Coordinates of all heavy atoms in Angstrom, one line a residue:
M20 N 0.8 -1.2 0.0 CA 0.0 0.0 0.0 C 0.9 1.2 0.0 O 1.9 1.3 0.7 CB -0.9 0.0 1.2 CG -1.7 1.2 1.4 SD -3.3 0.7 2.0 CE -4.3 1.9 1.3
L21 N 0.5 2.2 -0.8 CA 1.3 3.5 -0.9 C 0.7 4.5 0.1 O -0.5 4.7 0.1 CB 1.1 4.0 -2.3 CG 1.8 5.3 -2.6 CD1 3.3 5.2 -2.6 CD2 1.4 5.8 -4.0
T22 N 1.6 5.1 0.9 CA 1.2 6.1 1.8 C 1.8 7.4 1.3 O 3.0 7.4 0.9 CB 1.6 5.8 3.2 OG1 3.0 5.7 3.3 CG2 0.9 4.5 3.7
I23 N 1.1 8.5 1.5 CA 1.6 9.8 1.2 C 1.6 10.7 2.4 O 0.6 10.8 3.1 CB 0.7 10.5 0.1 CG1 0.7 9.7 -1.2 CG2 1.1 11.9 -0.2 CD1 -0.3 10.2 -2.2
N24 N 2.8 11.3 2.7 CA 2.9 12.2 3.8 C 2.3 13.5 3.4 O 2.6 14.1 2.4 CB 4.4 12.4 4.1 CG 4.6 13.2 5.4 OD1 3.7 13.9 5.8 ND2 5.8 13.0 5.9
V25 N 1.3 14.0 4.2 CA 0.6 15.2 3.9 C 1.5 16.4 3.8 O 1.3 17.3 3.0 CB -0.6 15.4 4.9 CG1 -1.3 16.7 4.6 CG2 -1.5 14.2 4.9
G26 N 2.5 16.4 4.7 CA 3.4 17.6 4.7 C 4.2 17.6 3.4 O 4.4 18.7 2.8
V27 N 4.7 16.5 2.9 CA 5.4 16.4 1.7 C 4.5 16.8 0.5 O 4.9 17.6 -0.4 CB 6.0 15.0 1.5 CG1 6.7 14.9 0.1 CG2 7.0 14.7 2.5
L28 N 3.3 16.3 0.5 CA 2.4 16.7 -0.5 C 2.1 18.2 -0.6 O 2.1 18.8 -1.6 CB 1.1 15.9 -0.4 CG 0.0 16.2 -1.4 CD1 0.4 15.8 -2.8 CD2 -1.3 15.4 -1.0
L29 N 1.9 18.8 0.6 CA 1.7 20.2 0.7 C 2.9 21.0 0.2 O 2.8 22.0 -0.5 CB 1.3 20.7 2.1 CG -0.2 20.6 2.4 CD1 -0.4 21.0 3.9 CD2 -1.0 21.5 1.5
A30 N 4.1 20.5 0.6 CA 5.3 21.2 0.1 C 5.4 21.2 -1.4 O 5.8 22.2 -2.0 CB 6.5 20.5 0.8
V31 N 5.1 20.1 -2.0 CA 5.2 20.0 -3.5 C 4.2 20.9 -4.1 O 4.5 21.6 -5.1 CB 5.0 18.5 -3.9 CG1 4.8 18.4 -5.4 CG2 6.1 17.6 -3.5
I32 N 3.0 21.0 -3.6 CA 1.9 21.8 -4.1 C 2.4 23.3 -4.0 O 2.2 24.1 -4.9 CB 0.6 21.6 -3.4 CG1 0.0 20.2 -3.8 CG2 -0.4 22.7 -3.7 CD1 -1.2 19.8 -3.0
V33 N 2.9 23.7 -2.8 CA 3.4 25.1 -2.6 C 4.5 25.4 -3.6 O 4.5 26.5 -4.2 CB 3.8 25.3 -1.2 CG1 4.6 26.6 -1.0 CG2 2.6 25.2 -0.2
V34 N 5.4 24.5 -3.8 CA 6.6 24.8 -4.7 C 6.0 25.0 -6.1 O 6.4 25.9 -6.9 CB 7.6 23.7 -4.6 CG1 8.6 23.8 -5.8 CG2 8.4 23.7 -3.3
L35 N 5.1 24.1 -6.5 CA 4.5 24.2 -7.9 C 3.7 25.5 -8.1 O 3.8 26.2 -9.1 CB 3.6 23.0 -8.2 CG 4.4 21.7 -8.4 CD1 3.4 20.6 -8.6 CD2 5.4 21.7 -9.5
R36 N 3.0 25.9 -7.0 CA 2.3 27.2 -7.1 C 3.2 28.4 -7.1 O 2.9 29.4 -7.8 CB 1.3 27.3 -5.9 CG 0.2 26.2 -6.0 CD -0.8 26.4 -4.9 NE -1.5 27.7 -5.0 CZ -2.6 27.9 -5.7 NH1 -3.1 26.9 -6.5 NH2 -3.2 29.1 -5.7
L37 N 4.3 28.3 -6.4 CA 5.2 29.5 -6.3 C 6.0 29.6 -7.6 O 6.6 30.7 -7.8 CB 6.0 29.4 -5.1 CG 5.3 29.6 -3.8 CD1 6.3 29.5 -2.6 CD2 4.6 31.0 -3.7
R38 N 6.1 28.6 -8.4 CA 6.9 28.6 -9.6 C 6.2 29.4 -10.7 O 6.8 29.9 -11.7 CB 7.2 27.2 -10.1 CG 8.2 26.5 -9.2 CD 8.7 25.2 -9.8 NE 9.4 25.5 -11.0 CZ 9.5 24.6 -12.0 NH1 8.9 23.4 -11.9 NH2 10.2 24.9 -13.1
R39 N 4.9 29.6 -10.6 CA 4.2 30.4 -11.6 C 4.6 31.8 -11.6 O 5.0 32.4 -10.6 CB 2.6 30.3 -11.3 CG 2.1 28.9 -11.5 CD 0.7 28.8 -11.2 NE -0.1 29.8 -11.8 CZ -1.3 30.1 -11.4 NH1 -1.8 29.6 -10.4 NH2 -2.0 31.1 -12.1
R40 N 4.3 32.5 -12.7 CA 4.7 33.9 -12.8 C 3.8 34.7 -11.9 O 2.6 34.5 -11.8 CB 4.5 34.4 -14.2 CG 5.6 33.7 -15.1 CD 5.4 34.1 -16.5 NE 5.0 35.6 -16.6 CZ 5.2 36.3 -17.7 NH1 5.7 35.7 -18.8 NH2 4.8 37.5 -17.7
T41 N 4.3 35.8 -11.3 CA 3.6 36.6 -10.4 C 2.4 37.3 -11.1 O 1.3 37.5 -10.5 CB 4.5 37.7 -9.7 OG1 5.6 37.0 -9.1 CG2 3.8 38.5 -8.7
E42 N 2.6 37.7 -12.3 CA 1.6 38.5 -13.0 C 0.4 37.6 -13.3 O -0.7 38.1 -13.5 CB 2.1 39.0 -14.4 CG 3.3 40.0 -14.2 CD 4.6 39.3 -14.1 OE1 4.8 38.2 -14.4 OE2 5.6 40.0 -13.6
A43 N 0.6 36.3 -13.3 CA -0.5 35.4 -13.7 C -1.4 35.0 -12.5 O -2.4 34.3 -12.6 CB 0.0 34.1 -14.3
R44 N -1.1 35.5 -11.3 CA -1.8 35.2 -10.1 C -2.9 36.2 -9.8 O -2.7 37.4 -9.9 CB -0.9 35.1 -8.9 CG 0.1 34.0 -9.0 CD 1.0 34.0 -7.7 NE 2.1 33.2 -8.0 CZ 3.3 33.3 -7.4 NH1 3.4 34.3 -6.5 NH2 4.3 32.5 -7.7
S45 N -4.1 35.6 -9.4 CA -5.2 36.5 -9.0 C -5.1 36.6 -7.5 O -4.3 36.0 -6.8 CB -6.5 35.9 -9.4 OG -6.7 34.7 -8.7
R46 N -5.9 37.5 -6.9 CA -5.9 37.7 -5.5 C -6.4 36.4 -4.8 O -5.8 36.1 -3.7 CB -6.9 38.9 -5.2 CG -6.8 39.3 -3.7 CD -7.7 40.5 -3.4 NE -7.2 41.7 -4.2 CZ -6.4 42.6 -3.7 NH1 -5.9 42.4 -2.5 NH2 -6.1 43.6 -4.4
N47 N -7.3 35.7 -5.3 CA -7.8 34.5 -4.7 C -6.7 33.4 -4.8 O -6.6 32.6 -3.8 CB -9.1 34.0 -5.4 CG -10.3 34.8 -5.0 OD1 -10.3 35.4 -3.9 ND2 -11.3 34.9 -5.9
D48 N -6.0 33.4 -5.8 CA -4.9 32.5 -6.0 C -3.8 32.7 -4.9 O -3.3 31.8 -4.3 CB -4.3 32.6 -7.4 CG -3.4 31.4 -7.8 OD1 -3.5 30.3 -7.2 OD2 -2.5 31.6 -8.6
E49 N -3.5 34.0 -4.7 CA -2.5 34.3 -3.7 C -3.0 33.9 -2.3 O -2.2 33.5 -1.4 CB -2.2 35.8 -3.7 CG -1.3 36.1 -5.0 CD -1.0 37.6 -5.0 OE1 -1.5 38.4 -4.2 OE2 -0.3 38.0 -6.0
K50 N -4.3 34.1 -2.0 CA -4.9 33.8 -0.7 C -4.8 32.3 -0.5 O -4.5 31.8 0.6 CB -6.3 34.3 -0.6 CG -6.5 35.7 -0.4 CD -7.9 36.1 -0.4 CE -8.1 37.6 -0.3 NZ -9.5 38.0 -0.3
L51 N -5.1 31.5 -1.5 CA -5.0 30.1 -1.4 C -3.6 29.6 -1.1 O -3.3 28.7 -0.3 CB -5.5 29.4 -2.7 CG -5.5 27.9 -2.7 CD1 -6.4 27.3 -1.6 CD2 -5.9 27.3 -4.0
T52 N -2.6 30.2 -1.8 CA -1.2 29.9 -1.5 C -0.8 30.2 -0.1 O -0.1 29.4 0.6 CB -0.3 30.7 -2.5 OG1 -0.7 30.4 -3.8 CG2 1.2 30.3 -2.3
V53 N -1.3 31.3 0.5 CA -1.0 31.7 1.8 C -1.6 30.6 2.8 O -0.9 30.2 3.7 CB -1.5 33.1 2.2 CG1 -1.5 33.4 3.7 CG2 -0.7 34.1 1.4
I54 N -2.8 30.2 2.5 CA -3.4 29.2 3.4 C -2.7 27.9 3.3 O -2.5 27.2 4.3 CB -4.9 29.0 2.9 CG1 -5.7 30.3 3.3 CG2 -5.5 27.8 3.6 CD1 -7.1 30.3 2.7
L55 N -2.2 27.5 2.1 CA -1.5 26.2 2.0 C -0.1 26.3 2.7 O 0.3 25.4 3.4 CB -1.2 25.9 0.5 CG -2.4 25.5 -0.3 CD1 -2.1 25.4 -1.8 CD2 -2.9 24.1 0.2
V56 N 0.5 27.5 2.7 CA 1.8 27.6 3.4 C 1.6 27.6 4.9 O 2.4 27.0 5.6 CB 2.5 28.9 2.9 CG1 3.7 29.3 3.8 CG2 3.0 28.8 1.5
L57 N 0.5 28.2 5.4 CA 0.2 28.2 6.8 C -0.1 26.7 7.2 O 0.4 26.3 8.3 CB -0.9 29.1 7.1 CG -0.6 30.6 7.1 CD1 -1.9 31.4 7.3 CD2 0.4 30.9 8.1
A58 N -0.8 26.0 6.4 CA -1.2 24.6 6.8 C 0.1 23.8 6.8 O 0.3 22.9 7.7 CB -2.2 24.0 5.8
L59 N 1.0 24.0 5.9 CA 2.3 23.3 5.8 C 3.1 23.6 7.1 O 3.7 22.7 7.7 CB 3.1 23.7 4.6 CG 4.5 23.1 4.4 CD1 4.4 21.5 4.3 CD2 5.2 23.6 3.2
G60 N 3.1 24.9 7.5 CA 3.8 25.3 8.7 C 3.3 24.6 10.0 O 4.0 24.1 10.8
V61 N 2.0 24.5 10.0 CA 1.3 23.8 11.2 C 1.7 22.3 11.2 O 1.9 21.7 12.2 CB -0.2 24.0 11.1 CG1 -0.9 23.1 12.1 CG2 -0.5 25.4 11.4
L62 N 1.8 21.7 10.0 CA 2.1 20.3 9.9 C 3.6 20.0 10.2 O 3.9 19.0 10.8 CB 1.8 19.7 8.6 CG 0.3 19.5 8.3 CD1 0.1 19.1 6.8 CD2 -0.3 18.5 9.2
V63 N 4.5 20.9 9.8 CA 5.9 20.7 10.0 C 6.4 21.1 11.4 O 7.3 20.5 11.9 CB 6.7 21.5 8.9 CG1 8.2 21.5 9.2 CG2 6.4 20.9 7.6
A64 N 5.7 22.0 12.1 CA 6.2 22.6 13.3 C 6.4 21.5 14.4 O 7.4 21.6 15.1 CB 5.2 23.7 13.8
P65 N 5.5 20.6 14.7 CA 5.7 19.6 15.8 C 6.6 18.5 15.4 O 6.9 17.6 16.3 CB 4.3 19.1 16.1 CG 3.5 19.2 14.8 CD 4.1 20.4 14.1
T66 N 7.1 18.4 14.2 CA 8.0 17.3 13.8 C 9.4 17.6 14.3 O 9.8 18.8 14.5 CB 8.0 17.1 12.3 OG1 8.5 18.3 11.7 CG2 6.6 16.8 11.8
P67 N 10.3 16.6 14.3 CA 11.7 16.8 14.6 C 12.4 17.8 13.6 O 13.2 18.7 14.0 CB 12.4 15.5 14.5 CG 11.3 14.5 14.7 CD 10.0 15.2 14.2
L68 N 12.0 17.8 12.3 CA 12.5 18.7 11.4 C 12.1 20.2 11.7 O 12.9 21.1 11.7 CB 12.0 18.4 10.0 CG 12.3 19.4 8.9 CD1 13.8 19.5 8.7 CD2 11.6 19.1 7.6
G69 N 10.8 20.4 12.1 CA 10.3 21.7 12.5 C 11.0 22.2 13.7 O 11.4 23.4 13.8
E70 N 11.2 21.3 14.7 CA 11.9 21.7 15.9 C 13.4 22.0 15.6 O 13.9 23.0 16.2 CB 11.8 20.6 17.0 CG 10.4 20.4 17.5 CD 10.3 19.2 18.4 OE1 11.3 18.5 18.7 OE2 9.2 18.9 18.9
G71 N 14.0 21.3 14.7 CA 15.4 21.6 14.4 C 15.5 23.0 13.7 O 16.4 23.7 13.9
I72 N 14.5 23.3 12.8 CA 14.5 24.6 12.1 C 14.3 25.7 13.1 O 15.0 26.7 13.1 CB 13.4 24.6 11.0 CG1 13.8 23.6 9.9 CG2 13.2 26.0 10.5 CD1 12.7 23.4 8.9
A73 N 13.4 25.5 14.1 CA 13.2 26.5 15.1 C 14.4 26.7 16.0 O 14.8 27.8 16.3 CB 12.0 26.1 16.0
N74 N 15.1 25.6 16.3 CA 16.3 25.8 17.1 C 17.4 26.5 16.3 O 18.1 27.3 16.9 CB 16.9 24.4 17.6 CG 16.0 23.8 18.6 OD1 15.3 24.5 19.4 ND2 16.0 22.4 18.7
L75 N 17.6 26.2 15.1 CA 18.6 26.8 14.2 C 18.3 28.3 14.1 O 19.2 29.1 14.2 CB 18.6 26.2 12.8 CG 19.5 26.8 11.8 CD1 21.0 26.5 12.3 CD2 19.3 26.2 10.4
L76 N 17.0 28.7 13.9 CA 16.6 30.1 13.8 C 16.8 30.8 15.1 O 17.3 31.9 15.1 CB 15.2 30.2 13.3 CG 14.9 29.8 11.9 CD1 13.4 29.9 11.5 CD2 15.7 30.7 10.9
G77 N 16.6 30.1 16.2 CA 16.8 30.7 17.5 C 18.2 31.0 17.8 O 18.6 32.1 18.3
Q78 N 19.1 30.1 17.4 CA 20.5 30.3 17.5 C 21.0 31.4 16.6 O 21.9 32.2 17.0 CB 21.3 29.0 17.2 CG 21.1 27.9 18.2 CD 21.8 26.6 17.8 OE1 22.4 26.6 16.8 NE2 21.7 25.6 18.6
L79 N 20.5 31.5 15.4 CA 20.9 32.6 14.5 C 20.4 33.9 15.0 O 21.2 34.9 15.0 CB 20.2 32.3 13.1 CG 20.5 33.3 12.0 CD1 21.9 33.3 11.7 CD2 19.6 33.1 10.8
V80 N 19.2 34.0 15.6 CA 18.8 35.3 16.1 C 19.6 35.7 17.3 O 20.0 36.8 17.5 CB 17.3 35.2 16.4 CG1 16.8 36.4 17.3 CG2 16.4 35.1 15.2
S81 N 19.9 34.7 18.2 CA 20.7 35.1 19.4 C 22.1 35.5 19.0 O 22.7 36.4 19.6 CB 20.7 33.9 20.4 OG 21.4 32.8 19.9
G82 N 22.6 34.9 18.0 CA 24.0 35.3 17.5 C 24.0 36.7 16.9 O 24.9 37.4 17.2
V83 N 23.0 37.0 16.2 CA 22.9 38.4 15.6 C 22.6 39.4 16.7 O 23.2 40.5 16.7 CB 21.7 38.4 14.6 CG1 21.4 39.9 14.2 CG2 22.0 37.6 13.4
T84 N 21.8 39.0 17.7 CA 21.6 39.9 18.8 C 22.9 40.2 19.6 O 23.2 41.3 20.0 CB 20.5 39.4 19.8 OG1 19.3 39.1 19.0 CG2 20.2 40.3 20.9
Q85 N 23.6 39.1 19.9 CA 24.9 39.3 20.6 C 25.9 40.1 19.8 O 26.7 40.8 20.3 CB 25.4 37.9 21.0 CG 24.6 37.3 22.1 CD 25.1 35.9 22.4 OE1 26.1 35.4 21.8 NE2 24.5 35.2 23.4
A86 N 25.9 39.9 18.5 CA 26.9 40.6 17.6 C 26.6 42.1 17.6 O 27.5 42.9 17.4 CB 26.9 40.0 16.3
S87 N 25.3 42.4 17.7 CA 25.0 43.8 17.6 C 25.2 44.6 18.9 O 25.2 45.8 18.9 CB 23.5 44.0 17.2 OG 22.7 43.5 18.2
R88 N 25.5 43.9 20.0 CA 25.8 44.6 21.3 C 27.2 45.2 21.3 O 28.1 44.9 20.9 CB 25.6 43.7 22.4 CG 24.2 43.3 22.6 CD 24.0 42.5 23.8 NE 22.6 42.0 23.9 CZ 22.1 41.3 24.8 NH1 22.9 40.9 25.8 NH2 20.9 40.9 24.8

């Protein structure tokens, strides 16, 4: 049986939607893309990958903050 990870499927859909030309997008098309990206973020956040990205960004922000002092 073939299983599809919803997060991977949403990531592929988002990438395909973002590859389109900006001029060809309507306002509703842009709203749908934003909703898909938010749903992808909610799915990725509780996973080890999402936690790793959050930790990496936290370290980056703290490094920039310390460098600016």
Side-chain angles (χ1 to χ4, degrees):
M20 175 141 213
L21 177 68
T22 59
I23 297 175
N24 187 338
V25 177
V27 173
L28 180 62
L29 271 177
V31 169
I32 291 171
V33 167
V34 168
L35 291 176
R36 291 183 65 82
L37 292 177
R38 289 186 65 205
R39 291 178 51 202
R40 292 177 41 159
T41 305
E42 297 85 19
R44 295 184 193 149
S45 67
R46 186 175 300 267
N47 288 333
D48 193 26
E49 289 178 356
K50 287 180 184 178
L51 180 61
T52 302
V53 168
I54 291 169
L55 288 172
V56 168
L57 287 174
L59 178 63
V61 168
L62 287 174
V63 169
T66 63
L68 173 65
E70 291 174 4
I72 292 171
N74 288 337
L75 179 68
L76 289 176
Q78 290 175 1
L79 179 65
V80 168
S81 67
V83 169
T84 303
Q85 290 177 358
S87 66
R88 288 184 187 181

